[in-house]
Amino acid sequence: MPDDFDLRILTALQADARMPANDLADRVGLSAPACYRRTRALRETGAIEREIAIVSPKTMGWTITMIVLVTLERDRGRIIDDLVRSLKVAPEVMDVWYVTGDHDLVLHVAAHDMASYDDFTRTTLHAAEHVRSFKTLVVMDHAKRNAALPPAHLG
Amino acid sequence: MPDDFDLRILTALQADARMPANDLADRVGLSAPACYRRTRALRETGAIEREIAIVSPKTMGWTITMIVLVTLERDRGRIIDDLVRSLKVAPEVMDVWYVTGDHDLVLHVAAHDMASYDDFTRTTLHAAEHVRSFKTLVVMDHAKRNAALPPAHLG
DNA sequence: GGTGAAAGATTGACCGC
DNA sequence: GCGGTCAATCTTTCACC
């Protein structure tokens, strides 16, 4: 169970994973080695899943992204695992959410252009069993991109 | 314009922002100082937007997330800037996408529980002008969470 | 962009609570 | 178990070519 020191560390590292342990120490009120030990423990327990650079999509050659709302046949059971497995492997697929409501899956997909997105839908979605239908919402602007979570509530 | 060295650096740092410049150097085929200079330039030009820790939502006390499909009145002009501004400020809102298609905005929202999500919809969505309707898709599982982009295509 | 050295950060050993 | 101090090690960063 994380205490407030841990939550402060996590909140700081969510904003800047490269913050030196010394700055972290000042912020959370511990010594640098104490911050380091806690940070290491947070990594080992999986509270920190990974530490990554957020890169501009255009720089990486991904010019468009789509939100895809997928509706499955109404006997979806474990068979959709096959679909999800193929989505996990597909590099263009950045996020897969299982949802309840008007749809069953929501995807966040990157593409170089519309033609390559069409390819993706053909090989991955149209080809899949149990996909009844899907709707593509083309992203015009990613107005807020907060890969980090909201800050934790401190006790 | 990034060359292949830059793209390799970006691809590596997307997977692990803490990779030492020495390892980076081995991977991309440059010396550590060269990698460092390129990395710094990539930060300064905004190709690297930021470097963050991906934290487990449950550790941070965010137990549920939602995908929200927002439909606006059909005279949305600049007025929706007010809505987007409030969404950008709201800590629970992790992503805001402007989209074309059956809806106008897609949100990715975190909440501590359903009651606090209800609060959010009341204060931020129901209260907003020009929101015609919205649909909430409750996330049951974030099966793929790839805050990083797909790898770049190298020439 | 490479080399080598200075500056700074991370990590380990050890002590005390 | 926890954190603190000090020191060794490793990384980042700079100066110079």
Side-chain angles (χ1 to χ4, degrees):
Chain A
M1 269 290 93
D3 61 11
D4 278 12
F5 285 128
D6 285 334
L7 292 178
R8 286 205 181 85
I9 289 172
L10 292 170
T11 300
L13 292 181
Q14 277 204 129
D16 177 9
R18 295 175 56 80
M19 177 174 298
N22 255 312
D23 299 8
L24 211 49
D26 289 348
R27 258 162 159 276
V28 309
L30 290 172
S31 67
C35 285
Y36 159 68
R37 287 190 292 252
R38 280 170 174 268
T39 304
R40 182 176 55 185
L42 291 167
R43 289 193 187 104
E44 280 165 3
T45 60
I48 295 176
E49 295 175 3
R50 53 202 199 286
E51 283 145 285
I52 66 160
I54 300 285
V55 175
S56 138
K58 292 212 175 60
T59 306
M60 294 289 272
W62 300 94
T63 53
I64 46 174
T65 69
M66 267 70 62
I67 303 290
V68 187
L69 309 174
V70 180
T71 304
L72 302 170
E73 304 285 354
R74 281 296 154 198
D75 72 328
R76 66 220 170 83
R78 86 163 57 75
I79 301 102
I80 80 160
D81 289 354
D82 288 345
L83 172 60
V84 171
R85 207 168 301 125
S86 70
L87 292 169
K88 281 190 179 184
V89 172
E92 318 86 313
V93 178
M94 298 183 286
D95 289 280
V96 177
W97 293 279
Y98 282 88
V99 298
T100 63
D102 285 6
H103 307 277
D104 298 304
L105 291 174
V106 178
L107 316 179
H108 183 207
V109 180
H112 293 105
D113 48 42
M114 270 298 166
S116 64
Y117 176 67
D118 272 0
D119 268 7
F120 164 77
T121 63
R122 244 187 297 278
T123 58
T124 309
L125 294 180
H126 281 123
E129 304 283 326
H130 298 270
V131 170
R132 183 204 296 246
S133 66
F134 63 89
K135 279 183 183 158
T136 300
L137 309 177
V138 178
V139 173
M140 304 179 67
D141 184 27
H142 199 161
K144 182 171 185 175
R145 184 178 172 207
N146 208 166
L149 294 162
H153 173 263
L154 300 178
Chain B
M1 269 286 96
D3 60 13
D4 278 11
F5 287 128
D6 286 334
L7 292 179
R8 287 205 181 84
I9 290 172
L10 292 171
T11 300
L13 293 180
Q14 277 204 128
D16 177 9
R18 294 175 58 81
M19 177 176 297
N22 255 311
D23 298 9
L24 211 48
D26 289 349
R27 258 162 160 276
V28 310
L30 291 172
S31 67
C35 286
Y36 159 68
R37 287 190 292 252
R38 279 169 177 268
T39 304
R40 182 175 54 186
L42 291 166
R43 290 193 187 105
E44 280 166 3
T45 60
I48 295 175
E49 294 175 2
R50 53 202 198 284
E51 284 145 287
I52 65 159
I54 301 286
V55 175
S56 137
K58 292 212 175 59
T59 306
M60 293 288 273
W62 300 94
T63 53
I64 46 174
T65 69
M66 267 70 61
I67 302 289
V68 188
L69 309 174
V70 181
T71 304
L72 302 170
E73 304 284 354
R74 281 295 156 199
D75 72 327
R76 66 218 171 86
R78 88 162 56 76
I79 302 102
I80 80 159
D81 289 354
D82 288 345
L83 171 60
V84 171
R85 205 167 303 126
S86 69
L87 293 169
K88 282 191 177 183
V89 172
E92 316 88 311
V93 179
M94 297 183 286
D95 289 281
V96 177
W97 293 281
Y98 282 88
V99 298
T100 62
D102 285 6
H103 306 277
D104 298 303
L105 292 174
V106 177
L107 317 178
H108 182 207
V109 180
H112 293 104
D113 48 42
M114 269 300 166
S116 65
Y117 177 66
D118 272 0
D119 267 9
F120 164 77
T121 63
R122 244 187 297 280
T123 58
T124 309
L125 293 180
H126 281 122
E129 304 283 327
H130 299 270
V131 171
R132 184 205 297 246
S133 66
F134 63 89
K135 279 183 185 159
T136 299
L137 309 178
V138 178
V139 173
M140 303 178 67
D141 185 27
H142 199 161
K144 183 171 185 175
R145 184 177 172 207
N146 207 166
L149 294 161
H153 174 263
L154 300 177

